[in-house]
Amino acid sequence: MEPEKTQNAKKVIFSAIQPSGTITLGNYLGALKNWIGLQDEYDCIYALADLHTITVRQEPAKFRRNALEAYALLLACGIDPQKSPFFVQSQVSEHAQLAWILNCYTQFGELQRMTQFKDKSQKHPDNINAGLFTYPSLMAADILLYQADLVPVGVDQKQHIELTRNIAERFNGLYGQTFKLPDGYIPKTGAKIMSLQDPTHKMSKSDENVNASIAVLDRPEDIMRKFKRAVTDSEACVRRAPGKDGVNNLMGIYTCVTGRTDEQIEAEFAGKGYGDFKAAVGEAVVEHLRPIHEKFDEYIKNKDYLEACYAQGAQKAEAIARKTLRKVMKKVGFLQQKF
Ligand code: ATP
Ligand code: LTN
């Protein structure tokens, strides 16, 4: 559903992504592509959610490199930091402060129902830390600090946004109108890109099988090879149908990067085999990503520019976040700092 627009004030958009590894085609088509397209019509604020990333153990040097690369890659994808403040979550301390407060308005049972918590605890049984459990109240703080109307994300984050609304509603109910209630903004196609090796599971940054996911920065030859090896079915007919998870997924990816509808794709590949289809999807993805690769190569060489950019982003974000946090602290009843 298209978000409705008001005539005067622009609506506020907030979203974030974790610098937890290589950014995938799933992240790009499910979330980032939308972030870019919304910048003219909305007041957008974007962040690298690095506080969220340490819910899974990180090696410090690699974590730092991932964060800088993710920042450069998002600029290369088209975030315009002059239009949309783009900052690093750990550099705006209001996020951690509001998260603590919201933790006290979030029920244990609510957090226990989160599927991401259940999945990640299964994946990392040796490190089921408290941060992994309370991850959604930090995400709620991220969104609520900016009084966001809309949050562009992939479908897997829908449950966290619903919890954010519940926390905001509970707080507003206790203390009067404080937070705007946000809605998710989930794309029609691309909201859940599936693994190329097991198309019943979502494509994920942290998949151990390298052929399962495409990284936005993968070399063209690797992208082509991964698409050629993508799991399909034995029918050898390019059409969307229940049970044809692999083909449905490839058709969805093709639609996202070419704008073609299912009918157009079915007509294009009528009488052709999966070999031709997979090669065409691979080529379309390579072409779509080519300008992003070129811009990334420029940004990543310019560390001074990246540092200046995220410093400025943090300053702009903090000015907004500070106001919400002050309001919240006053309402809860904390002593106010006068000097
Ligand atoms: P991890 O594997 O470390 O959990 P992830 O690949 O799921 O990471 P996130 O940082 O959790 O990535 O997600 C960033 C954004 O990308 C979110 O908006 C999320 O909804 C979206 N997203 C993640 N995976 C997909 C996917 N397979 N298809 C569409 N959108 C996705
Ligand atoms: N949990 C999100 C990343 C994230 C986020 C946010 C998304 C952290 N804070 C605020 C939207 C709004 C994820 O994609 N895994």
Side-chain angles (χ1 to χ4, degrees):
M1 203 176 66
E2 284 297 309
E4 62 179 83
K5 290 156 213 154
T6 51
Q7 294 211 302
N8 14 28
K10 282 187 182 174
K11 289 199 170 190
V12 176
I13 297 247
F14 179 87
S15 199
I17 183 168
Q18 297 186 61
S20 52
T22 358
I23 288 178
T24 67
L25 188 65
N27 299 137
Y28 176 72
L29 298 178
L32 301 177
K33 199 159 161 271
N34 253 344
W35 294 17
I36 309 308
L38 294 165
Q39 294 179 101
D40 285 325
E41 283 178 75
Y42 298 89
D43 280 332
C44 297
I45 305 170
Y46 295 127
L48 276 190
D50 59 344
L51 292 173
H52 280 100
T53 308
I54 63 161
T55 55
V56 172
R57 199 69 71 227
Q58 302 293 322
E59 196 270 298
K62 197 165 162 215
F63 179 34
R64 205 173 290 121
R65 193 170 58 247
N66 279 343
L68 195 70
E69 285 185 0
Y71 195 89
L73 179 56
L74 266 65
L75 290 181
C77 288
I79 291 187
D80 176 349
Q82 296 314 319
K83 277 189 206 151
S84 320
F86 175 35
F87 67 99
V88 179
Q89 184 191 34
S90 60
Q91 297 178 354
V92 178
S93 55
E94 283 78 1
H95 288 251
Q97 286 174 274
L98 183 61
W100 172 256
I101 297 175
L102 296 183
N103 265 329
C104 303
Y105 298 83
T106 308
Q107 299 304 303
F108 191 87
E110 288 178 306
L111 293 171
Q112 239 176 350
R113 284 194 288 276
M114 295 293 114
T115 43
Q116 182 174 302
F117 171 68
K118 290 188 232 171
D119 291 349
K120 294 226 164 162
S121 331
Q122 253 179 13
K123 235 174 170 177
H124 306 279
D126 51 338
N127 185 21
I128 307 179
N129 59 74
L132 193 64
F133 189 62
T134 61
Y135 175 116
S137 15
L138 176 58
M139 179 161 160
D142 297 342
I143 298 168
L144 298 176
L145 276 173
Y146 301 96
Q147 307 289 353
D149 296 279
L150 293 169
V151 186
V153 282
V155 80
D156 61 314
Q157 294 300 313
K158 206 170 153 208
Q159 201 187 22
H160 288 158
I161 295 176
E162 277 158 15
L163 178 60
T164 301
R165 282 177 73 91
N166 292 342
I167 298 170
E169 249 177 334
R170 182 172 304 138
F171 195 96
N172 289 348
L174 287 166
Y175 301 105
Q177 181 57 36
T178 312
F179 296 124
K180 201 172 264 175
L181 303 187
D183 282 308
Y185 179 55
I186 294 166
K188 279 196 212 91
T189 34
K192 193 170 186 186
I193 302 295
M194 309 310 276
S195 154
L196 297 185
Q197 289 298 309
D198 174 3
T200 60
H201 283 91
K202 77 159 193 165
M203 184 182 284
S204 166
K205 280 190 203 108
S206 40
D207 203 314
E208 271 150 31
N209 183 344
V210 288
N211 289 319
S213 69
I214 303 280
V216 171
L217 289 175
D218 270 349
R219 292 179 310 173
E221 55 270 36
D222 293 328
I223 297 178
M224 292 304 294
R225 179 181 40 91
K226 290 180 188 181
F227 276 112
K228 281 184 187 152
R229 290 195 186 164
V231 169
T232 44
D233 55 63
S234 54
E235 192 198 28
C237 175
V238 178
R239 64 185 184 101
R240 185 176 286 280
K244 287 173 69 75
D245 298 318
V247 171
N248 294 343
N249 188 38
L250 294 176
M251 286 178 73
I253 294 173
Y254 200 53
T255 296
C256 287
V257 293
T258 62
R260 286 175 214 164
T261 61
D262 282 350
E263 295 70 40
Q264 288 169 328
I265 300 171
E266 286 167 12
E268 187 180 344
F269 295 98
K272 293 190 183 157
Y274 287 155
D276 289 339
F277 175 51
K278 289 179 187 178
V281 179
E283 277 160 24
V285 169
V286 166
E287 283 318 308
H288 189 89
L289 298 179
R290 193 183 302 282
I292 298 179
H293 284 199
E294 287 165 5
K295 289 201 190 100
F296 174 81
D297 291 342
E298 278 171 36
Y299 283 124
I300 200 64
K301 281 189 219 136
N302 199 342
K303 199 172 172 203
D304 290 346
Y305 174 73
L306 296 174
E307 283 172 352
C309 216
Y310 61 66
Q312 195 191 51
Q315 233 176 27
K316 290 187 193 164
E318 183 149 34
I320 307 170
R322 197 185 303 130
K323 285 193 191 143
T324 305
L325 182 68
R326 285 222 179 114
K327 188 154 105 180
V328 168
M329 292 182 75
K330 191 169 173 201
K331 292 203 176 197
V332 171
F334 288 110
L335 282 176
Q336 289 184 273
Q337 271 183 311
K338 292 268 161 79
F339 304 102

